[in-house]
């Protein structure tokens, strides 16, 4: 087994990552029959979880000033939803939806506990790593619905415009940022090897919150 923290995180969380990708709302969005209303439903369901993660991770990572900056997401979701509403896509999902990861206070308490202390590094790893898959989803939606959807994909693209030709590979829209994160994780893991399990638990619990 690799001693590099970034590799340990990837290997240990793989089943949790796969379960997160099987989320019903996400799978509906990725189906050929998906509509813009399905996109709204996914964003609305995701927003409360992302607001909580943004709060915990942004504050928790202040303990590690040498880490690459955490990129908050909740405000981008809000901006996308506002543009979708202006475009006439209904928001009837606001009142009747299943919040991703937020079905109960118990679920949030479990997440908060896992992200306490150094566990927040695991949440940071998951949310920052989601930029890779987000770019792929953005490309797919752009192909399906055309250029008019592009301004409403800021959460998925981290507010960086889609470039032509569209890419089909897994690529963070800011690839140097992700390389900097994995490099920092490995250096931090080498300097504090006893904290690896807590960080991995934080990452597993964050992935599970997306289900």
């Amino acid at each position: 087994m690799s001693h590099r923290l970034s590799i340990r995180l990837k290997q240990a969380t793989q089943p949790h990552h796969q379960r997160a990708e099987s989320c019903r709302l996400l799978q509906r969005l990725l189906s050929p029959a998906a509509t813009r209303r399905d996109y709204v439903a996914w964003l609305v369901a995701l927003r409360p979880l992302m607001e909580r993660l943004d709060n915990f991770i942004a504050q928790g990572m202040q303990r590690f000033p040498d880490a690459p900056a955490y990129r908050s997401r909740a405000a981008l979701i809000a901006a996308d939803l506002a543009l979708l509403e202006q475009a006439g896509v209904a928001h009837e999902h606001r009142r009747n939806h299943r919040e991703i990861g937020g079905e109960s206070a118990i679920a949030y308490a479990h997440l908060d506990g896992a992200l306490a202390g150094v566990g927040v590094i695991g949440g940071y790893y998951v949310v920052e790593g989601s930029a890779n898959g987000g770019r792929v989803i953005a490309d797919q939606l752009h192909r399906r619905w055309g250029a008019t959807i592009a301004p409403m994909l800021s959460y998925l693209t981290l507010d960086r415009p889609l470039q032509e030709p569209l890419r089909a590979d897994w690529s963070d829209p800011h690839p140097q940022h992700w390389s900097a994160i994995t490099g920092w994780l490995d250096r931090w893991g080498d300097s504090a090897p006893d904290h690896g399990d807590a960080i991995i638990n934080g990452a597993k619990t964050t992935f599970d919150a997306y289900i």
Side-chain angles (χ1 to χ4, degrees):
M1 177 181 292
S2 174
H3 294 291
R4 291 172 54 193
L5 181 56
S6 63
I7 300 299
R8 289 184 62 201
L9 279 162
K10 182 176 182 179
Q11 292 173 339
T13 61
Q14 186 175 7
H16 302 263
H17 190 171
Q18 290 172 341
R19 285 197 294 271
E21 289 180 339
S22 70
C23 168
R24 178 179 56 84
L25 288 173
L26 178 57
Q27 288 303 307
R28 182 188 300 167
L29 178 63
L30 296 177
S31 72
T35 67
R36 294 190 184 203
R37 290 190 178 187
D38 292 319
Y39 180 43
V40 168
W42 179 65
L43 290 175
V44 169
L46 186 61
R47 184 177 179 179
L49 172 63
M50 196 52 57
E51 289 174 342
R52 197 162 192 106
L53 287 171
D54 272 358
N55 180 59
F56 259 82
I57 297 171
Q59 290 190 25
M61 290 303 294
Q62 290 179 9
R63 296 177 51 198
F64 312 100
D66 58 329
Y70 174 71
R71 300 170 294 185
S72 296
R73 269 79 169 170
L76 296 176
I77 291 177
D80 289 339
L81 286 170
L83 289 175
L84 285 158
E85 192 162 28
Q86 290 175 21
V89 182
H91 274 210
E92 65 267 24
H93 305 279
R94 284 190 181 276
R95 293 183 179 177
N96 300 307
H97 71 271
R98 173 192 179 278
E99 292 180 5
I100 294 174
E103 289 191 335
S104 68
I106 294 174
Y108 272 151
H110 185 51
L111 178 64
D112 295 352
L115 297 185
V118 297
V120 73
I121 296 174
Y124 168 75
Y125 163 82
V126 171
V127 179
E128 284 293 345
S130 70
N132 300 318
R135 185 64 176 206
V136 174
I137 296 171
D139 286 353
Q140 182 172 327
L141 299 184
H142 190 276
R143 289 191 182 97
R144 182 185 300 154
W145 297 327
T148 58
I149 197 65
M152 306 161 197
L153 299 174
S154 67
Y155 164 67
L156 293 169
T157 64
L158 293 178
D159 210 20
R160 178 172 176 175
L162 288 163
Q163 302 296 319
E164 296 291 350
L166 293 175
R167 298 176 59 181
D169 63 334
W170 289 73
S171 178
D172 186 311
H174 306 83
Q176 288 137 357
H177 189 74
W178 180 241
S179 296
I181 288 171
T182 55
W184 178 82
L185 286 168
D186 292 340
R187 291 190 299 275
W188 201 91
D190 288 343
S191 66
D194 293 342
H195 293 300
D197 289 345
I199 294 170
I200 290 171
N201 181 60
K204 288 179 177 179
T205 306
T206 303
F207 271 127
D208 290 346
Y210 282 88
I211 299 172

